[in-house]
């Protein structure tokens, strides 16, 4: 059973701060990693993808991947109240014939004005 | 921007009734998925579909579930005899090889079984 682990939170940060969200995964051969944002009652929305070790930046978001440690993180700089949501880590299943993604339970982020 | 569309947005059904959830994936996408999310729980894989056949299904996807792509645009999930525990948000998703494995989700159907 492939596992993706996240701290459920809530992670509370003040407006303008850096929010750091973490995820570990059990499948050593996973190659593709994704962060989705999910507002309450809404569907997951893709915000970042990362495939190789190191950092990948996109605007205020930075994804970090360390395959040796089986660890992926998301940094949100200059956090805004509109960033308050649940952030889902998703990992591809290389043994999956359908190339499905396995999701973590998500970390709830609350940005205080 | 192209998007995955799902209908209806909310469906209430009586236990034992059949429901069909409908999805129109993004037009040039080739791989289609159904996921579900029970309130307060994780997004769970149900089934993947490619080249007009199921490529993988989870343990949740038992004989009560079926999927179909009846024409070139629609992708449906049928639950033959609904149970209370089928109450959840059901999300359709699609992708192409060009998305790098990323799935694009529809807005979901909230299914309530009473």
């Amino acid at each position: 059973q492939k596992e993706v682990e996240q701290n459920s939170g809530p992670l509370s940060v003040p407006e303008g701060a850096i929010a750091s969200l973490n995820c570990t995964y059990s499948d050593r051969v996973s190659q593709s990693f994704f962060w989705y944002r999910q507002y309450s009652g809404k569907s997951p929305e893709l915000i970042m993808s990362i495939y190789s070790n190191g950092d990948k930046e996109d605007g205020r978001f930075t994804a970090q991947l360390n395959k040796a440690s089986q660890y992926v993180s998301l940094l949100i700089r200059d956090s805004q109240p509109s960033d308050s949501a649940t952030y889902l880590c998703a990992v591809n299943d290389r043994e999956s014939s359908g190339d499905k993604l396995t999701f973590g339970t998500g970390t709830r982020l609350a940005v205080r004005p | 921007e192209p998007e995955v569309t799902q209908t209806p947005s909310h469906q209430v059904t009586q236990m034992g009734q059949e429901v069909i959830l409908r999805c129109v994936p993004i037009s040039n996408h080739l791989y289609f998925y159904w996921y579900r999310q029970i309130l307060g729980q994780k997004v769970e894989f149900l089934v993947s579909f490619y080249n007009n056949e199921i490529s993988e299904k989870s343990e949740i996807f038992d004989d009560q579930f079926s999927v179909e792509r009846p024409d070139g645009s629609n992708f449906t999930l049928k639950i033959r005899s609904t149970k209370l525990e089928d109450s959840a948000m059901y999300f359709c998703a699609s992708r192409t090889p060009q998305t790098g494995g990323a799935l694009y989700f529809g807005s979901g159907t909230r299914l309530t079984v009473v």
Side-chain angles (χ1 to χ4, degrees):
Chain A
Q1 179 80 354
K2 312 281 194 309
E3 297 288 341
V4 178
E5 301 287 342
Q6 296 182 256
N7 187 319
S8 60
L11 173 66
S12 180
V13 300
E15 184 173 355
I18 296 175
S20 177
L21 304 161
N22 304 314
C23 171
T24 58
Y25 58 94
S26 64
D27 185 4
R28 189 166 282 282
V29 299
S30 292
Q31 295 290 319
S32 308
F33 307 87
F34 307 93
W35 284 99
Y36 286 81
R37 178 175 60 201
Q38 187 177 31
Y39 292 110
S40 180
K42 303 296 185 184
S43 61
E45 175 193 7
L46 179 70
I47 53 173
M48 288 287 288
S49 56
I50 188 166
Y51 305 97
S52 52
N53 282 328
D55 295 0
K56 180 182 176 185
E57 187 174 315
D58 183 1
R60 295 187 296 111
F61 299 99
T62 299
Q64 299 173 315
L65 175 61
N66 183 326
K67 290 185 181 178
S69 301
Q70 294 174 242
Y71 176 90
V72 59
S73 65
L74 179 71
L75 301 178
I76 306 174
R77 286 181 299 283
D78 187 25
S79 295
Q80 301 297 309
S82 58
D83 295 326
S84 298
T86 297
Y87 289 81
L88 309 177
C89 174
V91 177
N92 81 312
D93 183 346
R94 287 294 303 276
E95 293 177 351
S96 162
S97 52
D99 215 6
K100 67 178 187 286
L101 297 185
T102 299
F103 285 80
T105 53
T107 298
R108 190 156 59 91
L109 173 66
V111 181
R112 309 188 299 273
Chain B
E1 187 173 321
E3 59 179 28
V4 177
T5 57
Q6 288 187 244
T7 54
S9 57
H10 191 184
Q11 172 117 28
V12 181
T13 189
Q14 293 218 325
M15 192 168 52
Q17 295 297 302
E18 173 183 287
V19 294
I20 297 176
L21 310 183
R22 302 181 192 279
C23 169
V24 179
I26 295 172
S27 62
N28 64 336
H29 285 193
L30 303 175
Y31 300 81
F32 313 116
Y33 302 78
W34 284 100
Y35 280 77
R36 81 171 185 190
Q37 188 176 32
I38 295 170
L39 188 63
Q41 298 188 23
K42 66 169 66 177
V43 176
E44 300 176 287
F45 169 76
L46 292 178
V47 66
S48 57
F49 192 88
Y50 170 70
N51 202 24
N52 283 321
E53 61 182 23
I54 290 174
S55 45
E56 186 179 358
K57 56 185 180 180
S58 71
E59 292 175 355
I60 303 167
F61 195 89
D62 62 21
D63 291 345
Q64 295 300 311
F65 291 86
S66 62
V67 289
E68 197 176 39
R69 188 157 160 82
D71 53 41
S73 58
N74 291 284
F75 180 51
T76 62
L77 174 70
K78 183 193 289 187
I79 310 176
R80 262 180 273 282
S81 178
T82 49
K83 308 183 191 70
L84 295 175
E85 54 264 37
D86 294 328
S87 295
M89 279 287 283
Y90 288 80
F91 295 113
C92 175
S94 67
R95 70 173 183 90
T96 71
Q98 287 71 37
T99 66
L103 302 186
Y104 291 84
F105 285 83
S107 55
T109 294
R110 177 170 297 284
L111 177 65
T112 303
V113 183
V114 297

